[in-house]
Amino acid sequence: MRITNRLLAFLLSLGLALGAVLVLIEIVAYAVGAKPIALNWPGLYRWASGTTWGSGIVRLIGVGLAVIGLLLLAAQLKPRRPDRLPLQPVDPATDAAITRRGLARTLRDAAVEVDGVHDAHVTVGRHLVRLRAEVPDGTAPSADSLHAAIASAAQHRLDALRLATAPALDVRIKTEEQQ
């Protein structure tokens, strides 16, 4: 959501800046006695002078702007996915947390340390951590023992972090041939 917010803010500021430049150009052109350059503002002024607030086009524009405003408000009120997962404090005066990326790296490292695991991919969700371990085809020990070893290593690392609300762990094994 942070990227969307930044993109919307950039587009809005760009539109306002371009609008300000257009108005400035038209003011200077009017001051020196030239015709309108980028915007036919005299025609727009005549149209606006003859249009009432109750006309259909004005109401349509108002409804459109209200809908856009409500959509932007709803987008801002939607809770963001937290970037940091809080840890259990050792001291009440301490606030500690781990980032999602840091947790993913830690669990990936724990999985890769298990014999027979070639690589691992970790996705950290709000309530679930998905760990996908890649093993070379035919070189790994039995799937059950490998799954148990990976799950144990990852769970041990997850428990050692002492997260305030620990997510569930989902471990899957994928042979390199299945990719």
Side-chain angles (χ1 to χ4, degrees):
M1 192 60 153
R2 189 182 312 176
I3 292 173
T4 305
N5 287 346
R6 290 179 181 171
L7 180 63
L8 287 174
F10 173 74
L11 292 176
L12 182 61
S13 64
L14 184 65
L16 288 173
L18 289 176
V21 168
L22 270 173
V23 167
L24 185 61
I25 289 171
E26 292 299 332
I27 289 172
V28 170
Y30 180 74
V32 297
K35 292 182 180 180
I37 295 174
L39 182 66
N40 181 13
W41 62 268
L44 187 59
Y45 178 75
R46 280 190 302 275
W47 174 81
S49 296
T51 306
T52 64
W53 285 103
S55 69
I57 189 69
V58 173
R59 287 184 181 192
L60 184 65
I61 291 171
V63 168
L65 289 174
V67 167
I68 290 171
L70 288 174
L71 289 174
L72 288 173
L73 180 64
Q76 293 304 309
L77 292 177
K78 181 182 175 238
R80 270 186 18 197
R81 185 174 92 164
D83 292 334
R84 299 168 11 127
L85 300 172
L87 302 175
Q88 291 177 359
V90 176
D91 185 321
T94 304
D95 179 27
I98 186 169
T99 63
R100 288 179 183 277
R101 182 181 294 174
L103 179 60
R105 284 181 188 161
T106 299
L107 295 178
R108 180 197 171 279
D109 291 344
V112 171
E113 289 174 2
V114 174
D115 286 337
V117 176
H118 175 68
D119 197 8
H121 300 281
V122 180
T123 305
V124 178
R126 186 171 293 214
H127 303 289
L128 181 69
V129 174
R130 288 188 174 94
L131 191 148
R132 305 289 178 259
E134 296 177 9
V135 296
D137 192 31
T139 61
S142 74
D144 291 336
S145 65
L146 187 60
H147 183 276
I150 295 169
S152 174
Q155 190 63 50
H156 177 70
R157 190 75 59 98
L158 196 59
D159 293 341
L161 287 172
R162 297 183 45 217
L163 292 168
T165 54
L169 185 63
D170 177 33
V171 177
R172 301 230 174 135
I173 297 175
K174 182 187 256 186
T175 61
E176 288 184 345
E177 183 180 278
Q178 291 176 344
Q179 297 176 7

